[in-house]
Amino acid sequence: LLPNEFGELKQGIWVPKQVNKPSTDTLITSNLLANYQFVQNSDDSSSNSNDPTYENNVTYKQNNGGAAYFNGLENSNASTINTGISSTTAANSGTFTWSIWFNSNTYGGTSDILISSTDDLDGTAGMSGYSGGGAMLYLGSSTTVVGVFGTGGGSGTRGSVTSPSFNYEGIWTQATLVQSNGNFKKLYINGSLVGTDTNSYYTTSGPSSRKVIFGTYDFINANTGYTNSTFGGYLGEAQFYTSALTDAEVLQNYNATK
């Protein structure tokens, strides 16, 4: 870097330039279904008031905003939040955006689920066996972030978008999952596009009885039965949209919430 990138002389006084200036970007609010900031609670701060219908063993702390701690236990004491938003609403006929900040306790989890709107899975790493349709964002077994999309009915049909491997343990990271018209799928990490899928043989339509869940998948409606694939660590701001955000809008939201 050049010296003038650190600061400049003003009337004989060295004035350092601000490092990591706060972003002037603001959060996209058009087609915003829900906005969870986790400031002392899990209430939806959007105008839609999609407050959770069930919460188990989640604690909160201030962290440049809010953060919710999930204990990662694999029993009935596992931390989970059931938003009450149906899979059908969240999928919005195959056009939607999900975004969430996370700070994981582990590096290279085994399907540690950030968000899910499916009710079942058979095989934690492969995420095979969707019985109710839906979508999912989880931490893969090879230090990746994975977005999964599935149709309902038996084992169903599914596809996924996977990030390159990277170290996320103890590091605040934002993951964003976008689908447009049931076809084009995108995965972003920290505002940057890292994976795409253009297959059109699966959608994310799921029955309204399946709900969007933080920290696990919808197992006994997360109210609450034994489950594995639980997330351990902190979840930060999360947004759900009934539209497919553009690359520029995903980056704008990253800058607005970092």
Side-chain angles (χ1 to χ4, degrees), residues 106-229:
T106 59
Y107 181 55
T110 304
S111 307
D112 297 348
I113 294 172
L114 304 173
I115 311 172
S116 175
S117 68
T118 185
D119 71 323
D120 193 15
L121 59 94
D122 177 18
T124 55
M127 289 297 173
S128 60
Y130 280 82
S131 64
M136 189 179 294
L137 258 174
Y138 72 93
L139 305 182
S141 58
S142 301
T143 62
T144 59
V145 176
V146 183
V148 176
F149 310 81
T151 60
S155 61
T157 329
R158 60 217 158 261
S160 63
V161 185
T162 303
S163 76
S165 295
F166 68 103
N167 180 16
Y168 50 67
E169 182 180 6
I171 300 171
W172 278 105
T173 304
Q174 186 201 51
T176 302
L177 190 62
V178 177
Q179 178 169 278
S180 178
N181 298 318
N183 296 325
F184 205 71
K185 291 88 175 167
K186 295 182 177 181
L187 177 65
Y188 301 78
I189 298 297
N190 294 336
S192 297
L193 181 65
V194 297
T196 60
D197 189 315
T198 57
N199 288 319
S200 59
Y201 55 80
Y202 47 84
T203 68
T204 52
S205 58
S208 60
S209 61
R210 308 307 177 210
K211 310 300 180 183
V212 175
I213 307 294
F214 291 112
T216 184
Y217 61 94
D218 189 354
F219 183 73
I220 315 178
N221 289 322
N223 291 333
T224 189
Y226 174 79
T227 180
N228 54 13
S229 303

Side-chain angles (χ1 to χ4, degrees), residues 45-128:
S45 64
S46 79
S47 60
N48 298 312
S49 299
N50 283 308
D51 296 340
T53 57
Y54 180 82
E55 181 177 315
N56 190 59
N57 289 334
V58 177
T59 56
Y60 299 90
K61 78 166 190 175
Q62 293 296 111
N63 184 78
N64 190 28
Y69 182 74
F70 288 69
N71 57 32
L73 297 177
E74 295 186 350
N75 55 43
S76 60
N77 293 315
S79 300
T80 186
I81 296 174
N82 185 338
T83 67
I85 300 174
S86 72
S87 175
T88 302
T89 300
N92 189 41
S93 300
T95 299
F96 68 89
T97 300
W98 294 0
S99 185
I100 191 165
W101 283 89
F102 68 91
N103 189 325
S104 176
N105 287 342
T106 59
Y107 181 55
T110 304
S111 307
D112 297 348
I113 294 172
L114 304 173
I115 311 172
S116 175
S117 68
T118 185
D119 71 323
D120 193 15
L121 59 94
D122 177 18
T124 55
M127 289 297 173
S128 60

Side-chain angles (χ1 to χ4, degrees), residues 30-53:
S30 179
N31 300 307
L32 182 61
L33 175 64
N35 182 16
Y36 300 99
Q37 298 186 354
F38 299 129
V39 179
Q40 303 302 325
N41 60 55
S42 57
D43 291 349
D44 172 23
S45 64
S46 79
S47 60
N48 298 312
S49 299
N50 283 308
D51 296 340
T53 57

